[in-house]
Amino acid sequence: MRAGLAAGGGLVLGGLLPACSEGGRTTEVASGANGDEPRRGGTVRFGVIEGSQAGNLDAHKPVGSGAFRGWALYSKLWEWGLDARPKLALAEEAEVNADATEWTIRLHKDLEFHHGKTISADDVIFSLLRLTDPQLASPYAGYLYSLLRNDVKKLDERTVRIPFEKGAGLVALAECWMSWGGIVPTDYDPVNNVVGAGPYRLKSFTPGQRSVFTRFDNYFKSGQPYFDEVEILDFSDQTGRLQALQAGQIDIAPNLPFEQQAFLKADPRFEVVSSETDVWHSFDMNLEKAPFDDPRVRKAFRLIADREELVARVLQGQGRVANDLYSPSDPAFNHDIPQRRQDLAEATRLLKEAGHGNGLDVELVTSGGAGANAALVFAQQAKKAGVNVTVSKVDGSIFTGPKRNDWTFSTGGSVSRPFLLTVQQHDGPRAVGNKTHFKDPRFAELITQALGQPDLDRRRALVGEAQRIQHESGGMLIWGYSNVLDAVSKDIGGVTPDRTGFAGWRTDRIWRRSIA
Amino acid sequence: MSRPPSSFRKPNPLLDLLRARQVRFGLVLSVLVVAFALLGPLFAPHAPTDLVGITYGPPSLDAPLGHDYIGHDVWSRVLAGGVSVVWMSLVSAVLALTAGTALGLLAAFARRRVDQTIVWFTDVFLAFPDLILVLLIVSMLGREHWIIVLTVAVAFAPGVVRLSRGIALGVVNQEFVEAAEMMGYPRGRILFREILPSILTPLLVHLGIMLTWAIGMLSGLAFLGYGVAPPAADWGLMINENRAGLLIQPAAVFGPVLLIALFALGTNLLAEGVGRVTSRIEEKTT
Amino acid sequence: MTTLSIGPQHLLPQLRRTAAALRARAPAWLPWFIGRLLSGVGVVLVISFIVFGATQALPSDPARMILGPEAPEHTIETLRRQLGLDRPLVLQYVDWAGQVVSGNLGRSIDSNVPVAELMAGRFANSLTLTLAVAAVAFPLALVLGIALALRRDSLFDRAVLSSVVLFKAVPGFVIGICLVMIFSTSVFNILPAASLLDPALPAWRQPQYLILPTATLALSVATYLLRLVRASMIEAMDSEYVTAARLRGVPERRIIWRHAVPNALIPAIQGVAMTFRVLFGGAVLAEVIFSYPGIGNTLNAAIEMRDLPLIQGIVLVVTVGVVAINLAADLITVLLTPRLRTATRIRARSPGLRNAASLWRTGKSWRVSV
């Protein structure tokens, strides 16, 4: 999932907090449950599903399963820790000034690309400018909206200064850049010279079918990675992948659909690793269209939802109830807002007050997967409050097509990402996919201030108030956070629960037990 | 199949048909499935969208076929999910037959330019493999029921054009048509009184075969995710929805699969049986 | 067809002259064949219009699909411009057609690989699968069909026919799912459930992945072919020349192999062509079930992704293939049928097709009631 690129996590700033400078040339010991040690050698096969997209290898515009391959091919300045907080990777140090308008980043010494060239400041600048190049048309460039591209400066061979517009600092640089910020050499080409600094180097790539990688011996984590070869196989069909797993054709199936867990848990050859994450699910109400232009209707809908049932049915219990807010793992998240629960009497009263005492007809547009199932469950719940919800399922290409932000009522949600990144995507002042058309001046001001506020306590106050506004008058009915399941052969070690939901993506941590 | 030579009565085609075992079997099977589909909703214990059980709950006394991917009662959905399969496959086959026959007769009568043009366009459509054509149209126009029905009809119509044109050409040149033309009967009357009845049997047989194809194509479309959209209950859709649970709760898939297979089998046996018997009658009467 | 390569302005007179010259000496079927060839080119041309128009009319557009739901509108606009999607439709078509004529099918928007390169691998896989199906289904249908015809209406015949109707009526993907459950998951675990071909090796070198998809398709296809062979064999055995040969005391074995079988095989040619056509387009479902990296799977994915150059390329090549197969089948039918080979003028566009279609569908020979 391209949306699966990032994960929720804290706004821990590398360089400001010593605790997270543990990246770099350290050896991570990935111990299995029985305390066994990683072994080198062998091959592993991943089976990934990315709809029908063939995908590519571009570091800065990953398409389809390209995001998954990116984890093997590219290293970044930061990487996601298991706790879903950014930690330094290729960067040795990252400092930010008081209003978050100037970042200074220094690389580790003697880092190498797959083709042997040393990683220098020039490569970092090249990578940053390539990502934000309007001609590349990367969908992820927008998160660095206030970057002053022309003023990025090389201070020395290993140090870069990255400036942002005055008054529009970006304290969340790590989160907003890391997932699609692969560092590539200046002679990079996404088709003919696919070179990065990731744990594995490219051997072959057949779009939509399979890609093969071999170990990069000069990876920046010494001793890692462990496999001689990694194969990533593309599937277009869940059942096909499940059968391939059973038949031993693949070793790891990341992002297992919930309905398959029971089946795999019964099979002694596999382990289903369940990671608690911030992946969220919502119903999005368009504030510009009736009936949701009335805050009473929005509140009524939020009271109609039986979140426990939604989690039990749609997520098959693999998740937690949500309180109409995203990014609960963010250190700035406001945990003091009371949890909303189903209250049909109050919902009916509010609807009556809003003039819908004789019932209300709403169309709920959805595309597929968990969203479609949630829509069916919610439609049943709404009946009890006299609301007739008609579920209408459209193709993904139409759902996210030109009308993507115009649906009156639709299913939504996204992956595990920290607050300041998610808000930029969904309902903040510069949000791209503002399906709810939520525009609150005070909310926008708070977000802008929070983005320029490196101090966590002050930022917590700003985010806390913004979340109160979202909770009171926002357009999203966020009903749950889901776990991410990965099916792993028992012969594979190093796949452990991971707040980011990327347990099955970390090609540099996993290894095979049966290697002598 | 010898008949006493004394019987000089006009053969009763209907009786002949019913005497053939294959026809009887196909008819009974088709009628049973259609009756199940049409009357089923009346006997469903739950509404098809009611969430009454746990996800992929196994069969039990209350739910003979268990529960599906989200907790619907599979038995209720099987009972409710036949209507759309029956009407959609029937209507698309009939539409294809009507449109195709009209064009085919037109071609056979008009000859020359019109004929060539029509035939040539059927060539164009026949060069598109069926499923590809349908996939393209459905993803272009959406998946409302009527669009799917029309699309399947469009995919089948060229075959009917070919068939009806061919038969009509054979008939048009025959004496009784020429005689009627010479006697100055209007063309429309010749068409409906003389020609249509004589080509009706092969066309009806073809209708039955198209019905089988339509069932296969509609369920195939649903299987690929292009068919009827949820939450509607539909046999084809149910296969698609519950395929992920095939290994956990096979009843949710095998119920609709079985009914689709029986329906397809019934219509196929019926159509072929009729075809066989009528051609036997023709052999005898000539 | 060297006469066709001299440029359109000379084409017609040249053709007329050729036709006139040929009428004297050359085989009678040649004008018919040239006519069919030209009509086939026309079909391909019209289909290229339709496909181009249809792909452009698909809701949403490739730029949006590629960049995903997170992309801002201005980014989408940039990509649309880069892909040339903002230009007038006619211009896009002319560009595309010009490229196609010079052998360039463009680049896949989704994976940025040349369409021809992408398709070559997938077509090779599909072709391998098709040939494997043919290698199983044709001999099976032939042997069984002849055997049944010779024992017609026996218990054996009736039993085979009625069990075979099952495979004919039950949709192919259902057969596929059942085979997977029997051979790779629930009952035995002896065959791979998903056909994860190694793209570095040709498909035929990896037969373990071909078995199940081949079996699925062969079961559906062989049924039709079997009935066709059986019916046309029965017809041949009932024909006058067989009766005449019997009266002359020709041994039965010789009658069967020298007279009946060759004649019964002529409709089978059209049947074979139909099988190829069905496999060309209809393997989509089987390929999806087995994740087989063939052309059907690729097309299904390309439609979802709105990968216009890939859709256009695939549909174009498939239709050209279908037209070519039809043409080849018609030509072979004409050449093998003495009556047609020597006819002064062939009236039917596709001789033999209707008869085969009827045999294929209903197991009865084509006949107009007289």
Side-chain angles (χ1 to χ4, degrees), chain A residues 93-204:
Chain A
E93 203 178 357
E95 279 176 14
V96 66
N97 68 349
D99 62 350
T101 52
E102 200 172 84
W103 281 83
T104 311
I105 294 166
R106 192 165 68 242
L107 287 165
H108 276 287
K109 246 183 236 158
D110 305 324
L111 297 173
E112 257 181 40
F113 285 116
H114 295 157
H115 60 356
K117 187 177 153 285
T118 305
I119 305 179
S120 76
D122 291 320
D123 301 306
V124 174
I125 295 174
F126 172 79
S127 303
L128 179 59
L129 294 186
R130 187 173 180 277
L131 167 68
T132 51
D133 183 354
Q135 289 311 302
L136 183 74
S138 169
Y140 308 112
Y143 302 129
L144 304 176
Y145 56 94
S146 59
L147 171 73
L148 297 170
R149 284 188 81 226
N150 301 325
D151 301 328
V152 178
K153 213 173 146 197
K154 172 179 174 183
L155 297 183
D156 63 48
E157 271 310 305
R158 293 196 286 126
T159 317
V160 181
R161 175 168 297 158
I162 302 173
F164 291 87
E165 285 167 28
K166 284 288 162 214
L170 186 61
V171 75
L173 178 66
E175 293 89 330
C176 293
W177 184 15
M178 155 170 42
S179 287
W180 28 82
I183 300 299
V184 296
T186 48
D187 58 350
Y188 177 76
D189 184 283
V191 178
N192 301 314
N193 191 27
V194 187
V195 173
Y200 293 92
R201 60 169 91 208
L202 183 69
K203 185 176 170 198
S204 69

Side-chain angles (χ1 to χ4, degrees), chain B residues 33-122:
Chain B
V33 176
V34 171
F36 182 90
L38 297 184
L39 302 177
L42 303 178
F43 296 99
H46 303 279
T49 52
D50 278 357
L51 303 167
V52 291
I54 58 162
T55 304
Y56 290 129
S60 64
L61 277 179
D62 299 333
L65 290 177
H67 297 101
D68 73 354
Y69 72 109
I70 198 167
H72 299 131
D73 175 35
V74 174
W75 175 237
S76 303
R77 273 175 87 78
V78 164
L79 283 169
V83 184
S84 48
V85 177
V86 169
W87 84 255
M88 284 174 78
S89 46
L90 257 173
V91 171
S92 46
V94 169
L95 268 183
L97 189 80
T98 321
T101 310
L103 282 173
L105 292 183
L106 180 68
F109 258 105
R111 316 262 174 96
R112 307 222 164 196
R113 280 281 152 76
V114 180
D115 184 20
Q116 280 168 8
T117 315
I118 291 178
V119 168
W120 194 75
F121 271 98
T122 60

Side-chain angles (χ1 to χ4, degrees), chain C residues 4 98 137 143:
Chain C
L4 288 181
V143 171

